[in-house]
Amino acid sequence: MSGTVHALEHWLFNYRRTWYGSVFSSFILPVLFLVSIGYSVGAYVDDTSSLGGVDYAAFVAPGLLASTGLQLIAGEMTWPVFAALRWGNQYKAMQASPLTPAQMVNGHLLYGLIRAVIALVVFTIVMALFGIFSTAWAPLVLLPAALTSASVIGLLYSFSISIETESALSVAHRFGVVPITLFSGVFFPLSQLPQYLQPIAWLSPLWHGAELCRLIVSGTPTSWWWGWHAAYLVALTVLGWWLAHRCLTRRLTV
């Protein structure tokens, strides 16, 4: 456990020196998204029957919250991970210390989750200030949003550790992260997609996270659907964490 803490301290110390470079993308940009999309675009949405009877801002805000966590994890677990293995050689330096590969992975993934949770807390406060919350359950939306981040962190980490060239990272963002963000029910109900595409969207962790966040914000977390969404995200979290351990161990084994 102490080794994991030491690995975590390394990434936190590094972030302490560079945090100001992430203020806009982590905190200000999500707020601008909520204002510009939730309220500006929402003003043109007259028919809210497909949104569950809520206004567009209340529909899109929980989805944006889940999406914020995924986007931040995608940023932290792609180029920085590839750089730690290939360019900065942080992992090689750690390998020369008493740290084990498992401790290196745990420290880096925990750091990514901490980064995501900080941004999610800020976004949750903004949602409260904008009057999105209307029930006592609503502040708990932070939990499924954090679980959404956890569900993708190990998978993205494993991908970044396994690839050979950095160009694959651009491909992953362009053909993975962006389509998932656009077509996972964040900005419009999944029912608006063609029927043959809907089963594909069901595989997206962001769709499950966005739906779970909406159940919390709407005050209906007792719906049986929440168990299905949560179980899927937990399964992806466990799978991703296991793959991350396996991939880094294989990379560092001579």
Side-chain angles (χ1 to χ4, degrees):
M1 184 64 183
S2 61
T4 297
V5 173
H6 289 315
L8 173 61
E9 286 176 344
H10 163 76
W11 300 110
L12 289 176
F13 181 78
N14 183 67
Y15 181 64
R16 190 179 69 178
R17 299 168 56 186
T18 60
W19 65 269
Y20 46 83
S22 65
V23 170
F24 181 81
S25 61
S26 299
F27 307 116
I28 300 177
L29 190 60
V31 176
L32 294 179
F33 261 114
L34 179 59
V35 174
S36 62
I37 297 177
Y39 289 96
S40 298
V41 175
Y44 296 95
V45 179
D46 297 324
D47 185 7
T48 62
S49 58
S50 63
L51 307 180
V54 300
D55 59 49
Y56 186 69
F59 171 84
V60 79
L64 284 175
L65 178 68
S67 177
T68 295
L70 183 142
Q71 294 281 350
L72 195 146
I73 291 298
E76 287 291 340
M77 294 294 121
T78 48
W79 276 279
V81 172
F82 186 85
L85 183 67
R86 302 277 184 171
W87 301 329
N89 293 321
Q90 287 95 328
Y91 280 130
K92 292 182 180 179
M94 290 181 182
Q95 191 177 19
S97 74
L99 293 178
T100 65
Q103 292 168 338
M104 299 179 202
V105 171
N106 291 338
H108 206 159
L109 296 186
L110 286 174
Y111 161 74
L113 286 178
I114 290 173
R115 286 275 289 109
V117 168
I118 292 173
L120 293 174
V121 167
V122 174
F123 198 102
T124 302
I125 293 173
V126 171
M127 289 173 62
L129 293 177
F130 273 87
I132 301 297
F133 295 162
S134 58
T135 69
W137 290 98
L140 296 178
V141 72
L142 181 63
L143 299 179
L147 182 57
T148 304
S149 300
S151 70
V152 299
I153 191 169
L155 299 176
L156 287 170
Y157 181 97
S158 302
F159 174 80
S160 302
I161 285 291
S162 301
I163 59 175
E164 298 295 337
T165 63
E166 62 176 300
S167 60
L169 298 173
S170 299
V171 173
H173 275 263
R174 184 170 300 175
F175 297 103
V177 176
V178 172
I180 285 175
T181 302
L182 294 177
F183 302 108
S184 292
V186 173
F187 303 103
F188 54 86
L190 205 63
S191 58
Q192 302 297 316
L193 284 177
Q195 287 190 350
Y196 64 88
L197 289 179
Q198 292 180 21
I200 299 177
W202 294 342
L203 299 175
S204 167
L206 181 55
W207 177 72
H208 292 274
E211 289 296 299
L212 196 52
C213 288
R214 289 194 181 103
L215 286 175
I216 298 293
V217 172
S218 66
T220 57
T222 53
S223 170
W224 71 273
W225 277 105
W226 80 266
W228 156 242
H229 295 309
Y232 186 77
L233 295 176
V234 169
L236 287 182
T237 301
V238 174
L239 174 63
W241 218 283
W242 177 80
L243 283 175
H245 284 193
R246 184 179 178 86
C247 290
L248 183 63
T249 301
R250 182 186 304 168
R251 276 292 185 183
L252 297 180
T253 300
V254 178

